[in-house]
Amino acid sequence: MMNIIRITTTKTAQERTDRAFYNLDFTITDSALERVVATVYTPESRPDSDTPPAFIGTITYENGQIFCSLPKEAAIAGMMADFENFMALIQSAVTAETATE
């Protein structure tokens, strides 16, 4: 029998606000949130459209740090506020999942 030493799960979600459309990829390792990457697109972007979404930048949480790559013209403060809300929702879901394991 194999000795499993680590369990890593990656999930993807999508969220839309007035400021942007976000594709969120997050990684959970051994029941702990390890990484969240928000790929940011213009609010009009539609993932199910024939037209590719218009990329703005990324916001990343990793190892307790948040960093971003956004153009200075972007509504950075608002996008960071959106990201903080997403982080709270994701952390809540991770905590709830961990409690049921």
Side-chain angles (χ1 to χ4, degrees):
M1 179 179 241
M2 268 193 287
N3 180 23
I4 297 174
I5 58 170
R6 177 176 283 190
I7 297 173
T8 301
T9 305
T10 301
K11 296 186 178 191
T12 301
Q14 294 178 332
E15 289 288 337
R16 183 180 307 281
T17 68
D18 292 340
R19 288 179 272 277
F21 173 74
Y22 301 87
N23 193 74
L24 302 154
D25 293 307
F26 53 101
T27 304
I28 304 159
T29 301
D30 296 334
S31 301
L33 184 62
E34 188 172 273
R35 179 183 169 119
V36 179
V37 177
T39 306
V40 185
Y41 300 98
T42 59
E44 333 36 71
S45 293
R46 302 271 177 235
D48 54 356
S49 168
D50 290 338
T51 307
F55 178 77
I56 296 175
T58 59
I59 305 171
T60 304
Y61 162 85
E62 189 168 24
N63 298 322
Q65 303 291 313
I66 296 176
F67 50 95
C68 69
S69 176
L70 296 167
K72 66 178 181 168
E73 298 81 20
I76 296 171
M79 290 176 182
M80 293 303 280
D82 288 345
F83 188 76
E84 285 182 344
N85 289 334
F86 301 149
M87 286 290 298
L89 292 171
I90 291 168
Q91 188 60 65
S92 232
V94 169
T95 301
E97 274 184 31
T98 302
T100 61
E101 290 180 353

